[in-house]
Amino acid sequence: MRGPLGPVIGRYPSSDGSTQLGGVIRQNRKCRDVAFLVIFIAFWVAMIVNSSFGFNQGNPLRLTYGLDYKGNVCGDKHANPGLRELELRYWLNPNQVYQSGLKDSQFSLSNARSICLLDCPMPSDDGLNWVCDYPEGEIRLSMDDWIDRNYDYFEFLTPEMRNTSLQLQGPCYPVIFPSVNVYWNCQFIARASNMSLRHWQQMGGVNINEGIVIDKSIHRSINARSSVLKRYMADVGKSWPVLIVCGGLLPLLLSIVWLLLIRHFVAAMPWITVAVFNVLIISVTMFYFLKAGWIGHDAISPIIGEHDPYYRVSARELHHLRAVTVLMTFIMIVSVLASIAIVRRILMATSVLKVAAKVIGEVQALIIFPIMPYIVLAIFYMFWLSATLHLFSSGRVLQNNCSSNCCAYDLALKKVNCDRCCGYSVHYTPHIAVAIFFHLFGCYWATQFVIGCSATIIAGSVASYYWARGETSTEVPFLPVFASMKRLIRYSLGSIVLGSLVVSFVESVRFILESARRKLKVSSSTPDGFFGKLVFHSSRFFLTCIECTIKSVSRNAYIMIAITGKSFCGASAIATELIFNNILRIGKVNVIGDVILSLGKLCISLSSALFAFLMLDAHKYKSSHHKISSPLLPVLACWGLGYVVATLFFAVVEMSIDTIILSFCQDSEEHQGNAQYAPPLLIETLNDQNEMQRLTQGPN
């Protein structure tokens, strides 16, 4: 059995047996879990090196725009020639596109000759339009003149150049098929212009292949999983103003308002929280229905700019959005029913929140303290997001090795060149997947570390209040928040590192196993036997339970670290024993309080998601180079950021309740069941079991 904590908290005896005032929180501490702090520092050195690789090798433009036949990224003003505002990739040779779409063809679309244009060319109604290669060599035109001439300098070609152009070897190529801008790629529409095709044949041009294959070839490339993932990451980069407003500033404002309301209107806040939560989750779900095209006519479209309304292009992004919409519908129904089920327990939550409100009123610095970890995380997330975009786009642009006929006229060499005429691709290093996973793990670990530090500082401040009998005392530091922060930085950073590492590790294992489970499900490799299926389907539930348990243990361990100064493992043992010894006394009250606080966090994060939908609905994000492929990832990012910000601020209430309850349990144990230091309001809340049952169960 663990001994009493008299020497740790409150008044404790000196070596000669006399009682001395050693401070409310024990001061004779020592550094704990130092080895893990060293590991954390080494990890961040590795994070900086990993991010440097991304900044050195990456180019976020690659996430949105394609490469031309010279290996330049479309839209890159530093390319040769300069491609500023030339963001659309257009394939010059329709026969190469057709060939790349044939089954069992060895020719890849990446080797088809492509250039960057300002807009997608259309066939002429009464003649034949041309799109010519970038002007150089004997073609004395500037890039601006080339653009003004609609990329056509066929009239300036020598007889030899005209002959090679009629052989579809350039430098000019006919515009036979209409095309439409689909995610900054000019996708051919498999309906050749009869007028343009007739003029081409009259000029003696080679046969041009027609058929749906020419449409499907480009569409298959645009809808490839790697292309979709790049567009999702580009969406986050393009919507950075939305992330700042809806993921940063809005939840900051709403969280502060919520804390102030808890301070002054505690009796009404549980009811308001439940009502607002239901309204918000229904509203967000309706926005998903709207963008999925199941309500109204505002479904996301892969086509950029004006186009024939009868022409439709399918995209993976729409399918993903619809799948999330179905999931959100299920979550909405379950959440609304669950919130209705806890209505009768709200009076109990009100009682426990009153205790936290009194603490906040006495230690008012707690309301503004979360701004400090908020600023730290804001700076970190800006750096991390920039590094993420560079990591996802990192790699070397190298020319492909191809054996297909890709001959084309070279204006600089003044002849048809069949050597090194293959296209370019971004070649990723073998360890890029590991580098990205390492980067993602670092973000989650850093977030958990900052949240853990914030929670520990709050717990130390509240513990000072409790062990001074809930009053201003000479034993309580003038600024308990800063005193608690000083103790954390000096003695317990290693313990917080260990706690955040445990949570991050368990979450990462759950993520990896969940990914493996999904791959098995997709590949139809699920177990056949009853026992195998039971394990397969129940593993997700058990992993989620383990994750929640670890988070709860870590949170209570942070409280005991703040009070006792012990290591993470020692503090976890003390907290767990206290909770198990008093589970019947505090369990119901603590659970209901946590539920209300969780709903409050979801209210903040759902508000962030709702406003993100509204901001992304602006014209800026529906057209031009700012267009996002789908609001899915930016909205989820705002949702996640809003939840993190709410967690920082709601920890003031959450940790106040948990710290006071754990302190109450220890106080009761050390004084034969009668807490000596507990504020009267807390004793009334926890000890009056008959009144609590009457309030929550109602009349029979």
Side-chain angles (χ1 to χ4, degrees):
M1 281 293 293
R2 170 180 50 81
L5 289 184
V8 179
I9 47 185
R11 305 167 187 265
Y12 54 89
S14 64
S15 58
D16 61 1
S18 61
T19 300
Q20 307 221 354
L21 292 179
V24 177
I25 303 295
R26 172 175 151 177
Q27 301 298 329
N28 57 333
R29 303 182 176 215
K30 62 180 181 179
C31 295
R32 304 283 186 176
D33 299 318
V34 179
F36 290 97
L37 181 59
V38 174
I39 293 174
F40 189 64
I41 295 173
F43 178 86
W44 273 101
V45 172
M47 276 285 288
I48 294 173
V49 173
N50 191 52
S51 300
S52 300
F53 166 78
F55 284 116
N56 184 46
Q57 297 287 335
N59 182 0
L61 286 177
R62 297 174 191 162
L63 299 175
T64 301
Y65 309 116
L67 303 177
D68 67 5
Y69 74 93
K70 292 187 175 184
N72 299 318
V73 181
C74 292
D76 187 357
K77 62 181 180 181
H78 301 295
N80 185 22
L83 301 177
R84 184 174 184 177
E85 297 185 355
L86 300 178
E87 301 171 344
L88 278 63
R89 178 168 55 175
Y90 176 76
W91 285 270
L92 294 167
N93 191 332
N95 278 0
Q96 288 182 338
V97 176
Y98 182 89
Q99 184 180 355
S100 68
L102 293 175
K103 188 177 181 180
D104 300 327
S105 173
Q106 299 298 317
F107 190 83
S108 172
L109 185 64
S110 62
N111 292 319
R113 199 170 185 85
S114 61
I115 62 173
C116 304
L117 303 179
L118 190 63
D119 49 15
C120 293
M122 297 295 288
S124 173
D125 294 331
D126 55 2
L128 180 62
N129 289 340
W130 298 84
V131 173
C132 303
D133 200 350
Y134 303 129
E136 59 181 332
E138 295 182 354
I139 306 301
R140 310 293 184 182
L141 288 176
S142 66
M143 289 293 290
D144 290 337
D145 293 336
W146 175 66
I147 296 173
D148 292 339
R149 295 180 60 87
N150 290 324
Y151 327 109
D152 182 1
Y153 52 74
F154 185 80
E155 61 182 281
F156 300 143
L157 299 184
T158 63
E160 179 188 3
M161 294 180 185
R162 294 193 177 197
N163 183 53
T164 56
S165 295
L166 293 175
Q167 300 299 316
L168 287 181
Q169 293 181 336
C172 293
Y173 297 82
V175 181
I176 303 297
F177 296 94
S179 57
V180 63
N181 181 0
V182 178
Y183 294 137
W184 297 275
N185 293 278
C186 293
Q187 177 170 324
F188 290 147
I189 301 175
R191 296 197 301 265
S193 168
N194 294 329
M195 181 63 69
S196 298
L197 194 58
R198 186 179 306 113
H199 276 80
W200 170 255
Q201 293 170 347
Q202 290 174 355
M203 294 178 68
V206 298
N207 180 59
I208 291 181
N209 298 314
E210 302 180 59
I212 195 66
V213 173
I214 200 171
D215 185 319
K216 290 185 176 180
S217 176
I218 298 177
H219 184 263
R220 191 185 309 121
S221 173
I222 294 174
N223 259 359
R225 291 183 178 179
S226 59
S227 300
V228 174
L229 178 60
K230 289 179 180 179
R231 288 198 295 271
Y232 277 143
M233 294 307 303
D235 290 343
V236 176
K238 292 175 188 176
S239 57
W240 64 265
V242 179
L243 297 182
I244 291 176
V245 174
C246 299
L249 300 179
L250 180 64
L252 170 65
L253 176 63
L254 293 179
S255 297
I256 294 176
V257 169
W258 198 90
L259 285 181
L260 292 175
L261 291 176
I262 277 287
R263 171 70 182 91
H264 298 286
F265 304 99
V266 63
M269 281 308 294
W271 301 95
I272 295 174
T273 300
V274 172
V276 171
F277 169 75
N278 288 330
V279 171
L280 287 172
I281 196 169
I282 293 173
S283 300
V284 171
T285 304
M286 291 302 102
F287 260 102
Y288 274 108
F289 271 91
L290 187 66
K291 294 302 177 182
W294 290 339
I295 295 179
H297 304 282
D298 196 26
I300 61 172
S301 172
I303 302 177
I304 303 173
E306 298 181 357
H307 63 281
D308 186 347
Y310 295 101
Y311 182 71
R312 299 183 181 275
V313 178
S314 62
R316 284 180 181 266
E317 285 86 345
L318 183 59
H319 300 317
H320 294 166
L321 193 61
R322 288 178 173 173
V324 173
T325 303
V326 173
L327 178 62
M328 276 299 302
T329 304
F330 173 76
I331 294 175
M332 177 193 69
I333 295 173
V334 173
S335 300
V336 171
L337 293 177
S339 65
I340 294 174
I342 67 169
V343 166
R344 298 180 64 188
R345 304 286 182 179
I346 285 182
L347 288 176
M348 185 181 295
T350 302
S351 299
V352 75
L353 287 177
K354 285 181 180 179
V355 179
K358 181 172 177 58
V359 176
I360 296 173
E362 295 292 336
V363 190
Q364 297 186 8
L366 288 176
I367 295 180
I368 61 173
F369 162 72
I371 294 179
M372 295 178 65
Y374 169 85
I375 293 174
V376 172
L377 277 182
I379 295 173
F380 166 71
Y381 283 151
M382 286 188 287
F383 163 79
W384 182 86
L385 179 58
S386 178
T388 302
L389 296 176
H390 282 82
L391 268 176
F392 269 88
S393 61
S394 61
R396 300 175 60 190
V397 178
L398 300 175
Q399 193 168 27
N400 302 327
N401 293 319
C402 63
S403 57
S404 305
N405 180 14
C406 58
C407 299
Y409 194 91
D410 192 321
L411 288 171
L413 299 177
K414 301 180 182 180
K415 66 175 184 178
V416 174
N417 182 21
C418 295
D419 298 327
R420 300 185 60 79
C421 60
C422 301
Y424 284 78
S425 300
V426 179
H427 293 256
Y428 298 96
T429 55
H431 67 276
I432 188 63
V434 177
I436 292 175
F437 178 79
F438 183 82
H439 192 69
L440 296 174
F441 178 80
C443 176
Y444 193 77
W445 190 6
T447 301
Q448 291 299 321
F449 173 74
V450 173
I451 291 175
C453 288
S454 177
T456 306
I457 293 171
I458 294 170
S461 305
V462 175
S464 298
Y465 165 83
Y466 179 92
W467 294 100
R469 301 181 186 273
E471 299 175 354
T472 303
S473 168
T474 57
E475 296 181 59
V476 179
F478 176 68
L479 292 176
V481 172
F482 290 101
S484 180
M485 186 186 305
K486 179 181 177 181
R487 291 192 297 270
L488 169 69
I489 296 174
R490 186 173 180 181
Y491 302 110
S492 303
L493 278 180
S495 300
I496 308 304
V497 167
L498 176 56
S500 58
L501 176 61
V502 170
V503 174
S504 302
F505 179 77
V506 171
E507 179 67 17
S508 299
V509 170
R510 190 177 77 88
F511 174 78
I512 293 173
L513 294 180
E514 178 65 16
S515 300
R517 192 184 71 86
R518 289 181 179 179
K519 288 184 178 180
L520 288 174
K521 188 175 181 179
V522 170
S523 61
S524 300
S525 300
T526 55
D528 294 329
F530 172 77
F531 181 75
K533 288 183 178 180
L534 180 64
V535 172
F536 179 78
H537 292 291
S538 62
S539 59
R540 183 178 184 181
F541 171 76
F542 286 121
L543 285 171
T544 303
C545 292
I546 292 174
E547 177 196 357
C548 295
T549 303
I550 291 295
K551 286 184 177 180
S552 177
V553 170
S554 298
R555 188 176 69 186
N556 292 314
Y558 294 153
I559 296 173
M560 300 314 297
I561 288 171
I563 296 175
T564 68
K566 290 186 176 293
S567 65
F568 176 78
C569 295
S572 299
I574 295 174
T576 303
E577 183 178 345
L578 282 175
I579 292 172
F580 273 105
N581 290 343
N582 297 271
I583 189 67
L584 296 178
R585 194 173 191 184
I586 68 172
K588 186 185 296 185
V589 175
N590 204 20
V591 168
I592 295 298
D594 285 346
V595 169
I596 295 299
L597 291 172
S598 297
L599 290 180
K601 295 177 191 177
L602 289 174
C603 284
I604 303 296
S605 57
L606 285 170
S607 299
S608 298
L610 184 62
F611 277 87
F613 267 123
L614 293 173
M615 287 191 67
L616 292 172
D617 208 35
H619 178 73
K620 174 182 178 181
Y621 298 106
K622 290 186 174 182
S623 61
S624 185
H625 61 279
H626 290 292
K627 176 182 171 66
I628 60 172
S629 63
S630 169
L632 180 60
L633 204 58
V635 167
L636 291 179
C638 290
W639 193 335
L641 289 173
Y643 193 85
V644 170
V645 174
T647 299
L648 291 175
F649 282 85
F650 279 51
V652 172
V653 178
E654 197 169 22
M655 296 304 291
S656 295
I657 294 173
D658 291 347
T659 302
I660 287 180
I661 287 178
L662 279 179
S663 298
F664 174 85
C665 293
Q666 178 58 36
D667 193 7
S668 298
E669 281 196 6
E670 292 196 1
H671 297 94
Q672 292 75 44
N674 296 316
Q676 299 295 314
Y677 290 85
L681 181 59
L682 178 65
I683 296 176
E684 178 185 348
T685 301
L686 293 178
N687 285 347
D688 196 352
Q689 295 294 333
N690 294 330
E691 177 67 11
M692 195 61 64
Q693 290 178 4
R694 185 187 69 79
L695 292 174
T696 57
Q697 295 178 4
N700 293 327

